[in-house]
Amino acid sequence: MKKSTHDKAWRLLDASVVRLQGTLVGTLAARDTIVQELNYDQVFTRDFAVSAYAYLLNGQPEIVAGFLLQMVRLQRTERQFDCFKPGEGLMPASFKVVSDADGERLVADFGEHAIARVPPVDSGLWWLMILRAYVQTTGDRALAERDDVQAAIRMLLDLCLNARFDMFPTMLVPDGSFMIDRRMGVYGYPIDVQAQFFSALQAAEMLLVNAEENTRYIEAARRRQEHLAYHIRTYYWLDLEQINRMYRYAVEEYGETAVNQFNIYPETIPHWLTDWLPETGGYFAGNLGPARMDFRYFALGNLMAVLNGLATEGQSAALVHLLRERRDDLIGEVPLKLSFPALEGQDWALLTGMDPKNRPWSYHNGGNWPVLLWLLAGTCVRTGAMDLLESVLDSVESRLVRDDWPEYYDGRRGRLIGQQARKWQTWSIAGYLVARQLAEDPGCLERLGFGGRAKSAACGLGSNPDPCG
Ligand code: GLC
């Protein structure tokens, strides 16, 4: 990286820092002075995660500690029967500092103010990941071992692990409940949430102290990881071999011996996919539920699955192969494609509710997001594809600087600055800085908490052997 770019990026990141009564507590989502603010002047939990990684790798953990403890204070702690209040354990999507006669205080948004009132399922998951990275990089276990922090972890696990109506290891969520926070047909069991859930479970297992009140939680987090790993590796994985199997699936199978467990009709395999998949590449499907497989590729879930070991080594290598073979589609001119392919025509109308911001090849619907660079970097580090990482970073550096760090790009190959994109978007800056750090020192990945390999339990929904283990 050019030193001038590095220094400029750091100055911009520092300029986005938010203080509460003198304590550093987060970074603003964007500092665009031209486009109207909406809620981009707030600290978003998921956006801050990337800033947190940048600060931790740069040896500046104070802001991360400040954020982590504020989130504990903001987490809801009352059991609720009131449907208009956030449920016990929930952490906010975002918060802002307001000052009045009584001084400064934080006002949090749990989705009740968000456009379309989308809930932040991912906030607690990111908080756990940030906490783990904080402990790994600083060695300061004392912060994680505080009573209030341990209680916060248990409450998050209650929220995520309590038995509900369905009986899958994956987490059931409403549409738009994570980075894709608009209607996009990503309700149900989206891969992005499942991969983050997996990381959060790993983090919780590592962070809970050995105490009697934690035993049940540690055991539950460990077992859920195993079931989740088996389920995702077996049922979400798509490569030519699996597509061939699905193409000849029997349907309407009842009972324990069913092979086609979700009753996926072969007719739903899209034509674009059979032509597009290279011989040896593969990826995890976007979503899987009753009679429904979403065949779209989603970057966040797929890349995070490589980082945290949810994907097997074979699957990770196949994903990198796919990225190389389909570089124009999945990486593009300004990396990276968030989802592929875009929903168009009737699909777009029905699944987005005719959302003009998410029209084909824009924003969440096939737009390109620089923030994802850090996940690509982690994937390359994990699989040894450093040549790919270098070539991507070299090609994008001057572009991001010239364009003032946009939030996203539009077009099939991501050549246009997103029509409604904010500039000086903090996580675009932080994502780039973290990616560069990882490229320069691959050891950083483990310090951020992404190191282990997942164990897979041999007990999924049915008797299928794990095809990818
Ligand atoms: C948009 C994105 C969301 C992000 C927020 C702040 O709403 O969809 O993922 O957290 O902007 O940058």
Side-chain angles (χ1 to χ4, degrees), residues 29 40 44 46-47 178-179 181 363-364 369 407 425 427:
Y40 284 83
F44 275 75
R46 69 178 75 89
D47 296 44
F178 52 106
M179 177 181 177
D181 55 357
Y363 201 45
H364 302 138
W369 290 67
E407 179 186 15
Q425 177 81 21
W427 68 359

Side-chain angles (χ1 to χ4, degrees), residues 45-46 89-93 110-111 118-127 129 156 159-160 164 171-181 186 188 190 192-194 196-197 200:
T45 305
R46 69 178 75 89
L90 199 65
M91 287 189 166
F110 290 85
V118 284
V121 165
D122 60 341
S123 286
L125 309 178
W126 279 117
W127 180 82
M129 285 185 257
L156 278 171
L159 187 62
C160 295
R164 294 219 170 77
M171 196 196 281
L172 177 63
V173 302
D175 215 344
S177 60
F178 52 106
M179 177 181 177
I180 298 179
D181 55 357
V186 287
D192 288 6
V193 170
Q194 311 315 322
Q196 291 170 69
F197 181 31

Side-chain angles (χ1 to χ4, degrees), residues 17 34 46 55 103 107 145 193 251 254 299 320 358 429 445:
V17 164
I34 300 152
R46 69 178 75 89
Y55 279 114
V107 174
E145 289 177 5
V193 170
V251 294
Y254 178 83
V320 172
N358 269 336
I429 302 165
L445 189 62

